[in-house]
């Protein structure tokens, strides 16, 4: 917590300083690459140190030097088309010791064209690219091809960092041989699969692709050093590729459509199978051998037979009782009529009674 507060205090103090004081402090204090907002300075723009130059040993460097005396590590190169392989090499050089001040030497165009070959980027572009790498504390412009004792003493260099592969150049089997013999060499690992030569090889191999790319982006055939016929050829290839791309897009869309239809078809078939199983199960439950319909028909048939079949007559019918004769009905005004003659037994009785009444 105290360290954090002291850090904030130093930050406020730096903010209170004006531009001149900041520049003066920047030249005198050791450079810190964490959270930089400015590129690394060039060596010829810094003030020369007045203290005597005394190299540190490897043991002292690995153990850790005082804050005011960082280990000065030097790494040189062409750094054409600055890429991740360059950055990784500088990162390893920066991390060799706990307290490291990394100085990077960049060779000039004349020296590079003489000993190695033509570059894509000019020397100013290469200087600027290296100065913007986060691991670099100082940049040496027009660095020498072979390191001399005078150069090492001038820049107060303790160790030289480079990959351990012998670098054959300038009539020597290894330009770092005398550095290794002096015990000043600190090896780093080379990043495989990426180098400036690899990048240039890709461009040369796919030359037509990159020419068409730049023509499409507005560069003229004259700027690309392309003839009129080749320009028309590249434009025609571009149109053909667009047509091919459209065909591929249509094919991809059609494949996606067919895939979706197949997926939906599979879903429909699965649903149909489920419904068909359910329907068949319900059908068998209703119309199967032991289904509900058979039981209903049996019950209905039994009821119909019971309804239409006659009842069995009893073995002896009961004797019908004799009915009493119905009383004779006689109208009073037909008694004296000659056409009406009552039954004999009734008339004699009735007449006898009448005579007796008279």
């Amino acid at each position: 917590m105290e360290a954090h507060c002291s850090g904030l205090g130093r930050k406020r103090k730096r903010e209170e300083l004006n531009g001149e004081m900041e520049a003066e402090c920047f030249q005198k204090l050791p450079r810190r690459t964490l959270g930089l907002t400015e590129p690394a300075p060039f060596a010829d723009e810094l003030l020369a140190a007045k203290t005597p130059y005394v190299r540190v040993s490897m043991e002292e460097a690995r153990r850790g030097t005082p804050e005011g005396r960082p280990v000065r590590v030097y790494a040189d190169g062409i750094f054409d088309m600055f890429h991740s392989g360059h950055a990784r090499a500088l990162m390893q050089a920066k991390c060799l010791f706990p307290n490291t001040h990394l100085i990077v030497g960049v060779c000039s165009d004349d020296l590079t064209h003489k000993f190695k070959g033509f570059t894509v980027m000019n020397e100013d572009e290469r200087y600027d690219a290296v100065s913007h790498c986060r691991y670099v504390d100082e940049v040496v412009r027009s660095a020498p091809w072979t390191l001399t004792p005078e150069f090492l003493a001038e820049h107060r260099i303790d160790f030289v960092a480079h990959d351990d592969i012998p670098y054959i150049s300038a009539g020597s089997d290894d330009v770092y041989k005398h550095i290794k013999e002096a015990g000043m060499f600190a090896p780093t690992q080379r990043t495989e699969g990426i180098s400036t030569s690899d990048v240039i090889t890709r461009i040369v191999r796919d030359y037509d692709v990159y020419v068409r790319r730049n023509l499409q982006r507005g560069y003229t055939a004259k700027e690309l050093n392309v003839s009129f016929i080749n320009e028309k050829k590249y434009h025609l290839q571009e149109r053909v590729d667009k047509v091919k791309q459209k065909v591929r897009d249509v094919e991809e869309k059609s494949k996606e459509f067919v895939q979706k239809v197949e997926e939906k078809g599979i879903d429909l078939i699965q649903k149909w199978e489920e419904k068909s199983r359910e329907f068949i199960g319900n059908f068998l439950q209703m119309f199967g051998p032991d289904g509900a319909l058979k039981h209903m028909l049996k019950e209905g048939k039994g009821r119909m037979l019971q309804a239409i079949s006659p009842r069995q007559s009893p073995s002896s019918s009961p004797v019908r009782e004799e009915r009493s004769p119905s009383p004779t009905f006689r109208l009073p005004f037909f008694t004296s009529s000659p056409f009406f003659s009552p039954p004999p037994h009734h008339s004699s009785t009735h007449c006898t009674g009448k005579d007796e009444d008279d």
Side-chain angles (χ1 to χ4, degrees), residues 76-88:
D76 59 355
I78 310 302
F79 301 104
D80 190 20
M81 301 178 66
F82 194 87
H83 51 73
S84 62
H86 296 142
R88 287 177 178 272

Side-chain angles (χ1 to χ4, degrees), residues 32-238:
R32 295 290 179 265
T33 58
L34 184 60
L36 290 177
T37 58
E38 296 180 0
F42 296 110
D44 52 5
E45 297 177 351
L46 297 176
L47 297 177
K50 298 179 181 180
T51 57
Y53 168 58
V54 179
R55 285 189 59 247
V56 297
S57 63
M58 183 67 72
E59 292 75 11
E60 292 174 342
R62 289 178 177 173
R63 186 168 56 246
T65 57
E67 185 177 357
R69 176 53 173 97
V71 181
R72 296 176 66 86
V73 178
Y74 178 81
D76 59 355
I78 310 302
F79 301 104
D80 190 20
M81 301 178 66
F82 194 87
H83 51 73
S84 62
H86 296 142
R88 287 177 178 272
L90 298 179
M91 178 187 67
Q92 294 179 56
K94 179 68 176 178
C95 298
L96 284 172
F97 307 107
N99 185 16
T100 303
H101 181 87
L102 180 60
I103 308 166
V104 180
V106 183
C107 299
S108 63
D109 286 345
D110 293 338
L111 203 61
T112 304
H113 298 166
K114 179 181 177 180
F115 290 106
K116 191 166 185 178
F118 191 74
T119 58
V120 177
M121 301 168 62
N122 59 44
E123 59 184 23
D124 292 330
E125 293 171 339
R126 294 184 286 113
Y127 298 154
D128 188 63
V130 172
S131 68
H132 284 83
C133 180
R134 62 179 298 184
Y135 308 110
V136 180
D137 298 303
E138 185 179 334
V139 179
V140 177
R141 293 182 284 196
S142 299
W145 199 260
T146 302
L147 302 179
T148 62
E150 293 76 16
F151 179 83
L152 296 174
E154 177 186 357
H155 294 279
R156 310 169 68 84
I157 296 171
D158 296 315
F159 299 97
V160 177
H162 199 273
D163 61 79
D164 203 11
I165 301 173
Y167 197 89
I168 303 173
S169 181
S172 174
D173 295 338
D174 189 0
V175 295
Y176 298 104
K177 183 178 180 181
H178 64 288
I179 302 296
K180 295 177 181 178
E181 292 175 352
M184 298 177 62
F185 188 80
T188 59
Q189 296 295 325
R190 187 179 182 87
T191 303
E192 297 296 335
I194 182 66
S195 67
T196 302
S197 299
D198 293 336
V199 176
I200 294 175
T201 300
R202 297 177 197 173
I203 297 173
V204 173
R205 181 188 60 198
D206 301 327
Y207 171 78
D208 292 347
V209 175
Y210 293 110
V211 171
R212 287 165 51 190
R213 169 186 178 273
N214 283 7
L215 287 172
Q216 187 179 2
R217 296 196 174 191
Y219 287 87
T220 63
K222 185 177 180 180
E223 291 174 332
L224 298 173
N225 196 24
V226 175
S227 64
F228 177 80
I229 296 176
N230 286 335
E231 180 185 7
K232 299 303 177 185
K233 181 186 72 173
Y234 292 137
H235 284 304
L236 179 60
Q237 289 177 350
E238 187 69 27

